[in-house]
């Protein structure tokens, strides 16, 4: 806890320091510009067209305005450009969904032992290439037909399917879960993850859902070796007479205190006087009105749109506004796709690499996990009297 | 609790006294620390805290202390906002209720100008501007009758754009309304739109006195005012002859905004600064879209969920949704106000808002009367208003 507290304090201290530095810079620049405007002869001719009183006031205001633009101006540019470029950025990411599906098809075939892939020794490695899809060497480049199919998917799908799934887009290669989902009606096995909506559209258009009928031969073999490894491990531990785990101390099972504003208000009602409590109520309303990020984001999106967007009837006004912004985002995403594809082809033809997002944390975690699984399989192989390799 | 509160208040006041030079940020931090220490030390909070996992209490206390410090600094503003949300439609109703009497006053003005009627309280057209500001206590208007009130409610119900109901800044400006109906040039510099409520009223009653009746009295006043304008012109010319304009006075003013500012930047700065300036301008423009922000606020504070209808223009759609909500609330509060009005009338309570407020109409009426009397004198006529 103390460590956390120190971290928070140092973070807030850093914020304070940066704020102080910006304010100092603002004052210094303002003084500098003021001096320049007052003394530099280059302005003389221009200022001579105006009354002295208004020039004096202009100089004061201009120096302060210029300093504030130099110190804070980039925030406005970033904000505006962010709203304009976000559609291209989204398209740039989503075009790789096409390759994810191709990788997934390969995974199914690899598991059925229909294909061999030199870069893949165990099934977990598909997770690695999911994260490095932009540099996956064994996938064919995206074709125009594939892009067109993806654009049809975007046109056909609702905003939530496209963007909300995309918010949590971490699982394109979860074979086990997607297979359970496919056979749910038949087998009633619980599953925790829906496949990407894009996969379902792709399967409906290509008929490739039949791939799920292929057997998971490779997966079954991996499970066999894992089982041998784990059984052996258990025996070894029992032989060592490993101590039983210490009994869990029974902590008092208390609830976590809420930091929700409604709870804060309940607390204030109990402990504050009536007048202060009314102020807390006013505070809550202002926070809710001014910090409605979904609404603000939708309005900024519509304000910075390159066309006048209509709004549809909605029982709830706020949902109507958000839906209008979502409609625009979807239109723009579809419009940006061919531009992103042209850029993709250009990079392919000139050999410029696709910038990969830095995923150090996941890489280190995943890399370690893959190494562990490989070691377990090799040990399982040896326990079965087979050579320690992946030729099974 | 009572003792605590009194103690706290006293402390707050004295610390305010001592810390006049502290910035809000500094006060905020001090109060935040004070409240956090109180949450940690005062056993009265244990009644609640004992129910929760001790590991999660720290973040709660930090947050609560921060909110309480914020409430200490800005609580009065929050209360004002709450009061405004609770009373804004009743206040709007108080204001709009006058519109019913304004139309009656305006019709009388048209008839007075046509010399159809005489009104003892009216000497010049300026006096209508005077009574415009005190229309609820205007002695020569009949009280608002039920059918008149109903007609006004019909108007609000049938006018989809709230702005057309509320955005009127003058009700008795006969000349400006007339100019609006004339050619574009005159409209551009002088005209004010004939209020929608007047149009609605005319269409229901079939009477548009401004169009139907001549402005005899107005033309007579104009004759006298022309005498005064001629006099003022001569005086101005005389003054200019004696005091020629100084060089400095011929110069323009330089404004640190708009075109002047951008022109200066184009001349003396590189493109980057201008780009930053334009981005800031655009950002402020988006944030300060007054009509849109007002509409959003109306919808946010509405107690019930408001529907939004299809509109080709999303922004207009939001404004219309808010407009519908405002009109509904306004009608409710007008009905309440009308009851209060009738009650006040029945027991003889004054309907005047604030007798001490500034009244522009008083000066307009007084100046016009003085000018006409002087012109009459210049023209060799008696110094009275019997013309």
């Amino acid at each position: 806890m103390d460590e956390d507290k120190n971290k928070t304090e140092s973070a807030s201290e850093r914020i304070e320091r940066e704020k102080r530095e910006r304010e100092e810079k603002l004052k210094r620049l303002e003084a500098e510009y003021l001096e320049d405007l007052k003394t530099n002869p280059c302005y003389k001719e221009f200022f001579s067209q105006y009354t002295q009183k208004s020039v004096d006031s202009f100089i004061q205001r201009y120096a302060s305005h210029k300093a504030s633009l130099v110190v804070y101006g980039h925030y406005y540019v970033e904000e505006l450009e962010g709203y304009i470029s976000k559609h291209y950025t989204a398209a740039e990411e989503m075009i790789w969904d096409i390759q994810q599906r191709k990788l997934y098809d390969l995974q199914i075939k690899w598991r059925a032992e229909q294909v061999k892939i030199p870069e893949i020794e165990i099934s977990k490695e598909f997770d690695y290439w999911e994260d490095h899809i932009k540099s996956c060497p064994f996938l064919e480049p995206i074709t125009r037909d594939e892009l067109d199919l993806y654009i049809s998917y975007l046109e056909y799908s609702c905003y939530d399917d496209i963007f909300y799934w995309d918010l949590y887009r971490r699982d394109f290669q979860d074979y086990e879960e997607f297979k359970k989902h496919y056979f749910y009606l038949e087998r009633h096995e619980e599953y925790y993850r829906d496949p990407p909506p894009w996969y379902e559209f792709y399967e409906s258009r290509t008929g490739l859902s039949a791939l799920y009928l292929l057997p998971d031969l490779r997966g079954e073999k991996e499970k066999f070796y894992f089982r041998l490894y784990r059984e052996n491990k258990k025996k070894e531990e029992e032989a060592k007479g490993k101590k039983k785990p210490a009994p869990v101390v029974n902590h008092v099972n208390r609830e976590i205190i809420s930091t929700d504003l409604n709870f804060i208000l309940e607390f204030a009602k109990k402990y504050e006087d009536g007048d202060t409590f009314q102020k807390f109520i006013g505070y809550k309303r202002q926070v809710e009105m001014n910090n409605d990020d979904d609404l603000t984001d939708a309005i900024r999106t519509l304000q910075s749109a390159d066309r006048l967007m209509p709004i549809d009837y909605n029982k709830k006004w706020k949902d109507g506004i958000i839906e209008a912004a979502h409609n625009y985002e979807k239109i723009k995403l579809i419009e940006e796709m061919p531009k992103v594809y042209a850029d993709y082809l250009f990079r392919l033809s000139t050999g410029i690499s696709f910038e990969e997002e830095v995923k150090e944390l996941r890489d280190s975690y995943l890399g370690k996990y893959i190494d562990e699984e490989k070691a377990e399989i090799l040990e399982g192989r040896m326990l079965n009297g087979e050579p320690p390799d992946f030729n099974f | 609790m009572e003792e605590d509160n009194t103690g706290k208040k006293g402390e707050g006041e004295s610390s305010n006294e001592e810390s006049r030079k502290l910035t809000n940020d500094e006060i905020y931090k001090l109060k935040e620390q004070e409240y956090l220490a109180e949450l940690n030390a005062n056993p009265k909070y244990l009644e609640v805290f004992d129910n929760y996992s001790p590991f999660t209490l720290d973040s709660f206390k930090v947050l609560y202390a921060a909110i309480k410090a914020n409430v200490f600094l800005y609580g009065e503003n929050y209360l004002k906002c709450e009061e405004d949300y609770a009373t804004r439609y009743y206040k709007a109703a108080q204001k709009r209720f006058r519109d019913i009497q304004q139309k009656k006053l305006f019709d009388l003005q048209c008839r007075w100008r046509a010399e159809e009627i005489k009104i003892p309280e009216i000497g010049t057209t300026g006096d209508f501007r005077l009574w415009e500001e005190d229309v609820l206590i205007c002695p020569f208007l009949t009280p608002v009758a039920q059918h008149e009130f109903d007609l006004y409610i019909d108007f609000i119900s049938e006018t989809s754009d709230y702005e057309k109901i509320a955005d009127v800044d003058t009700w008795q400006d006969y000349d400006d309304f007339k100019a609006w109906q004339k050619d574009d040039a005159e409209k551009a510099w002088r005209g004010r739109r004939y209020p929608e409520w007047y149009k609605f009223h005319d269409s229901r009653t079939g009477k548009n006195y401004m169009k139907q009746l001549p402005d005899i009295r107005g033309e007579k006043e104009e004759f006298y005012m022309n005498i005064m304008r001629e006099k003022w012109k001569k005086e101005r010319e005389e003054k200019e002859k004696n005091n020629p304009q100084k060089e400095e006075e011929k110069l323009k003013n330089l404004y640190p905004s708009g075109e002047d500012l951008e022109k200066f930047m184009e001349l003396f700065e590189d493109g980057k600064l201008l780009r930053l300036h334009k981005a800031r301008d655009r950002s402020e423009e988006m944030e300060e879209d007054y009509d849109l922000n007002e509409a959003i606020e109306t919808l946010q504070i509405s107690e019930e969920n408001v529907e939004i209808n299809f509109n080709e223009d999303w922004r207009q759609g939001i404004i219309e949704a808010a407009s519908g909500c405002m009109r509904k609330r306004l009608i409710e509060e007008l009905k309440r106000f009308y009851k209060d009005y009738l009650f006040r009338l029945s027991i003889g309570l004054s309907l005047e808002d604030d007798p001490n407020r500034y009244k522009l109409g008083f000066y307009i009426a007084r100046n016009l009367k003085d000018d006409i009397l002087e012109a009459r004198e210049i023209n060799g006529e008696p110094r009275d208003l019997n013309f």
Side-chain angles (χ1 to χ4, degrees):
Chain A
M1 277 312 281
D2 281 340
E3 204 183 307
D4 279 347
K5 205 175 171 188
N6 285 337
K7 270 184 197 167
T8 322
E9 278 169 4
S10 62
S12 63
E13 276 167 15
R14 183 176 54 79
I15 292 168
E16 279 297 312
R17 178 180 48 76
E18 285 174 359
K19 191 179 162 198
R20 226 176 20 250
E21 282 170 4
R22 279 196 300 272
E23 279 165 8
E24 280 163 13
K25 187 177 177 191
L26 194 74
K27 275 186 194 160
R28 183 170 46 76
L29 287 176
E30 195 177 329
E32 199 179 289
Y33 298 147
L34 197 62
E35 184 62 19
D36 176 62
L37 286 160
K38 279 180 179 168
T39 56
N40 194 329
C42 73
Y43 306 117
K44 206 178 169 190
E45 195 190 332
F46 180 83
F47 286 149
S48 68
Q49 306 165 68
Y50 301 96
T51 61
Q52 191 55 47
K53 207 176 162 190
S54 73
V55 169
D56 291 344
S57 143
F58 179 90
I59 285 174
Q60 290 288 343
R61 292 275 298 275
Y62 189 80
S64 140
H65 181 63
K66 185 173 170 181
S68 131
L69 284 180
V70 170
V71 177
Y72 300 111
H74 64 281
Y75 293 123
Y76 300 104
V77 174
E78 280 161 18
E79 191 198 7
L80 279 184
E81 286 178 354
Y83 277 105
I84 292 162
S85 66
K86 72 173 179 179
H87 313 291
Y88 187 87
T89 310
E92 232 176 359
E93 275 309 304
M94 286 195 198
I95 198 168
W96 296 99
D97 292 6
I98 299 169
Q99 296 298 72
Q100 291 287 3
R101 176 63 211 203
K102 282 155 74 179
L103 179 64
Y104 185 64
D105 285 350
L106 271 182
Q107 182 183 172
I108 298 175
K109 287 178 188 166
W110 181 88
R111 282 174 178 267
E113 298 187 345
Q114 285 193 351
V115 292
K116 280 196 181 293
I117 305 166
E119 291 81 359
I120 302 280
E121 287 178 327
I122 64 167
S123 57
K124 196 76 198 161
E125 282 173 305
F126 283 99
D127 287 353
Y128 174 83
W129 290 112
E130 175 191 343
D131 278 4
H132 296 83
I133 194 76
K134 294 178 188 175
S135 54
C136 183
F138 52 88
L139 289 174
E140 290 296 318
I142 300 167
T143 65
R144 182 71 218 191
D145 284 350
E146 288 168 343
L147 178 80
D148 289 343
L149 184 63
Y150 191 72
I151 290 176
S152 305
Y153 153 70
L154 295 176
E155 283 165 345
Y156 169 86
S157 304
C158 67
Y159 178 92
D160 287 3
D161 274 356
I162 300 169
F163 288 93
Y164 284 135
W165 189 86
D166 185 66
L167 268 182
Y168 311 101
R169 50 184 8 239
R170 283 274 47 91
D171 291 291
F172 281 101
Q173 301 302 326
D174 200 338
Y175 174 85
E176 306 262 346
E177 285 293 303
F178 301 164
K179 197 161 183 173
K180 277 186 210 162
H181 173 266
Y182 182 74
F183 286 111
Y184 180 72
L185 288 179
E186 209 175 294
R187 298 178 186 166
H188 296 289
E189 268 184 288
E190 283 297 321
Y191 65 93
Y192 303 100
R193 189 164 288 128
D194 284 339
W198 153 233
Y199 282 15
E200 293 185 86
F201 179 86
Y202 175 86
E203 286 157 13
S204 73
R205 287 294 175 95
T206 58
L208 280 174
S209 58
L211 280 175
Y212 282 111
L213 299 174
L214 291 176
D216 181 16
L217 303 174
R218 189 77 186 179
E220 292 304 322
K221 286 179 185 173
E222 285 182 1
K223 277 179 194 160
F224 170 73
Y225 294 124
F226 282 138
R227 203 172 58 241
L228 286 181
Y229 165 80
R230 275 160 204 159
E231 281 169 3
N232 183 55
K233 184 100 180 157
K234 201 178 161 193
K235 273 183 208 162
E236 280 176 6
E237 278 170 5
E238 278 169 5
K240 276 184 203 167
K242 206 178 170 189
K243 284 178 192 168
K244 282 180 186 172
V248 180
V249 180
N250 255 342
H251 290 290
V252 183
N253 196 16
R254 288 185 195 159
E255 279 181 70
I256 292 169
I257 196 165
S258 169
T259 47
D260 175 81
L261 265 181
N262 288 321
F263 183 78
I264 298 269
L265 225 63
E266 262 180 55
F267 190 84
K269 192 176 183 182
K270 188 171 173 65
Y271 288 110
E272 307 296 345
D273 60 86
D275 184 52
T276 308
F277 176 62
Q278 288 305 318
K279 290 175 182 170
F280 267 80
I281 292 179
Y283 167 85
K284 179 176 177 267
R285 197 206 289 258
Q286 291 304 317
V287 167
E288 284 170 351
M289 280 168 68
N290 298 323
N291 296 4
D292 191 337
D293 291 343
D294 288 346
L295 181 64
T296 309
D297 194 49
I299 287 175
R300 292 287 173 272
T301 298
L302 291 166
Q303 282 176 321
S304 49
D306 58 14
R307 69 204 71 187
L308 186 63
M309 284 301 292
I311 194 161
D312 286 329
Y313 167 80
N314 202 304
K315 272 191 168 177
K316 295 180 178 174
W317 63 272
K318 198 170 113 182
D319 291 351
I321 298 171
I322 291 171
E323 194 184 292
H326 285 176
N327 288 341
Y328 176 69
E329 283 181 46
K330 197 179 136 177
I331 291 170
K332 284 302 287 180
L333 181 68
I334 292 167
E335 282 179 4
E336 297 295 344
M337 272 295 166
K339 293 182 204 161
V340 167
Y341 185 59
D343 184 43
Y344 168 84
L345 291 180
F346 174 75
R347 278 167 175 263
L348 273 187
S349 68
T350 53
I352 303 172
S353 73
F354 296 97
E355 280 167 32
E356 280 268 23
E357 208 180 307
V358 182
K359 294 183 185 115
E360 278 176 26
L361 198 68
R362 189 171 158 91
D363 266 2
S364 61
Y365 165 75
L366 192 61
K368 204 177 145 205
Y369 202 76
I370 290 171
D371 288 347
E372 274 173 17
E373 281 203 356
K374 278 187 173 177
E376 288 173 12
I377 288 174
L378 291 179
E379 207 176 320
R381 292 263 289 159
M382 286 194 291
L383 287 167
N384 204 35
E386 295 174 45
D389 60 29
F390 297 98
N391 302 320
F392 51 90
Chain B
M1 274 307 273
E2 267 177 27
E3 271 179 28
D4 274 352
N5 293 339
T6 330
K8 265 182 212 161
K9 231 178 196 177
E11 273 169 31
E13 278 163 9
S14 66
S15 72
N16 270 352
E17 288 285 325
E18 288 160 16
S19 57
R20 274 220 179 94
K21 284 178 190 165
L22 293 180
T23 65
N24 275 0
D25 277 358
E26 288 163 334
I27 297 172
Y28 177 84
K29 273 181 199 154
L30 286 174
K31 295 309 281 183
E32 197 181 14
Q33 283 164 8
E34 179 192 322
Y35 297 143
L36 189 59
E38 154 90 2
L39 285 165
N40 280 320
N42 195 326
K44 71 178 178 180
Y45 298 116
L46 292 178
E47 191 192 338
V48 170
F49 290 162
D50 276 349
N51 298 317
Y52 296 98
S53 157
F55 305 112
T56 61
L57 287 176
D58 275 0
S59 55
F60 174 84
K61 289 175 189 170
V62 168
L63 178 66
Y64 192 81
I67 294 177
K68 196 169 168 184
N70 179 298
V71 160
F72 174 83
L73 269 176
Y74 307 111
E76 287 303 325
N77 297 344
Y78 300 144
L79 289 184
K80 273 183 201 152
C81 288
E82 288 297 310
E83 197 196 330
D84 168 48
Y85 302 150
T87 58
R88 67 164 59 172
Y89 292 105
Y90 188 78
K91 282 182 182 163
Q94 259 177 324
K95 211 170 162 189
R96 293 281 68 87
F97 185 78
R98 293 154 195 278
D99 302 355
I100 302 170
Q101 295 297 70
Q102 293 291 2
K103 175 60 178 160
K104 284 156 74 179
L105 181 63
F106 187 72
D107 284 350
L108 280 182
Q109 182 181 172
C110 294
R111 294 175 65 202
W112 182 87
R113 281 174 178 260
E115 297 187 343
E116 250 191 36
I117 53 168
K118 281 196 180 291
I119 304 168
E121 290 83 356
I122 300 288
T124 71
T125 54
D127 290 331
F128 287 101
R129 298 296 299 274
L130 180 69
W131 288 111
E132 174 183 353
E133 291 182 25
D134 277 324
V135 77
L136 282 191
I137 53 167
C138 179
F140 52 91
L141 288 176
T142 53
V144 175
Q146 185 66 47
H147 72 276
E148 292 167 342
F149 180 75
D150 292 344
L151 186 64
Y152 190 68
I153 294 291
D154 284 352
F155 162 65
I156 294 176
S157 307
E158 291 173 31
T159 308
S160 63
D161 186 353
Y162 188 82
E163 211 174 303
K164 285 185 176 169
I165 299 168
D167 193 21
V168 180
D169 55 5
T170 176
W171 293 96
Q172 299 302 325
D173 207 331
Y174 180 96
D175 292 331
D176 277 9
F177 296 153
K178 205 144 197 178
W180 181 260
Q181 298 180 332
K182 287 185 185 166
D183 63 85
D184 286 347
E186 195 166 349
K187 187 194 281 187
W189 74 266
R190 167 152 201 182
R192 277 200 177 93
R193 199 182 286 274
Y194 190 61
E196 290 296 318
W197 157 232
Y198 287 8
K199 280 190 213 164
F200 181 87
H201 188 279
D202 294 346
S203 71
R204 284 292 184 93
T205 58
K207 285 174 190 162
N208 180 335
Y209 289 117
M210 192 175 80
K211 268 190 185 166
Q212 291 159 354
L213 297 175
D215 181 18
I216 301 167
R217 188 76 184 181
E219 278 164 20
K220 287 180 183 170
E221 283 186 1
E222 192 60 12
F223 168 79
Y224 294 121
M225 285 313 291
N226 279 337
I227 292 174
M228 291 307 288
R229 284 183 198 116
E230 197 56 38
K231 179 194 165 217
W232 293 328
K233 193 181 160 199
K234 275 182 195 156
E235 284 171 358
R236 224 174 21 249
E237 282 167 359
E238 195 66 27
K239 199 178 159 194
E240 275 166 21
K241 218 190 319 175
N242 297 334
N243 304 303
Q245 199 181 21
K246 288 175 194 157
E247 275 306 304
E248 169 77 2
E249 285 168 0
K250 286 179 190 167
L251 295 174
K252 292 180 287 180
N253 282 328
L254 178 62
Y255 295 103
S257 57
E259 279 178 19
D260 280 359
L261 185 71
E262 282 188 16
K263 189 172 149 194
F264 185 83
M265 278 190 167
E266 276 162 17
L267 283 171
F268 298 106
E269 306 289 357
D270 58 17
K272 193 185 163 200
L273 196 78
L274 193 63
R275 194 169 137 252
L276 291 173
H277 169 75
K278 286 194 169 161
R280 180 164 150 164
D281 246 19
R282 176 76 186 114
S283 183
E284 282 176 356
E285 204 180 286
M286 293 203 301
E287 268 177 36
E288 290 162 14
D289 183 338
Y290 178 79
D291 291 344
L292 181 66
N293 292 345
E294 201 193 24
I296 298 275
E297 187 188 88
T298 299
L299 294 167
Q300 281 176 322
I301 62 168
S302 165
E303 279 154 19
E304 56 191 59
N305 213 338
V306 181
E307 291 182 352
I308 195 158
N309 287 317
F310 169 80
N311 201 301
E312 293 281 352
D313 175 352
W314 63 273
R315 187 177 166 280
Q316 203 49 39
I318 297 172
I319 290 170
E320 281 179 17
S323 180
C325 173
M326 287 194 276
R327 287 187 297 123
K328 189 170 168 251
R329 293 284 291 122
L330 181 64
I331 290 173
E332 286 165 11
E333 295 298 333
L334 270 169
K335 287 177 181 166
R336 239 179 86 196
F337 183 78
Y338 187 45
K339 273 187 193 159
D340 290 351
Y341 169 85
L342 292 177
F343 174 73
R344 281 176 162 261
L345 272 185
S346 69
I347 60 167
L349 269 178
S350 168
L351 295 161
E352 196 172 13
D353 300 326
D354 172 14
N356 299 321
R357 71 183 194 280
Y358 173 77
K359 291 174 183 172
L360 178 68
F362 170 79
Y363 298 98
I364 292 175
R366 189 188 66 184
N367 294 346
L368 183 66
K369 185 181 167 191
D370 290 350
D371 290 341
I372 289 174
L373 291 176
E374 192 181 337
R376 294 254 296 157
E377 228 170 16
I378 294 170
N379 203 38
E381 295 175 60
R383 198 181 160 83
D384 61 29
L385 297 171
N386 302 322
F387 52 90

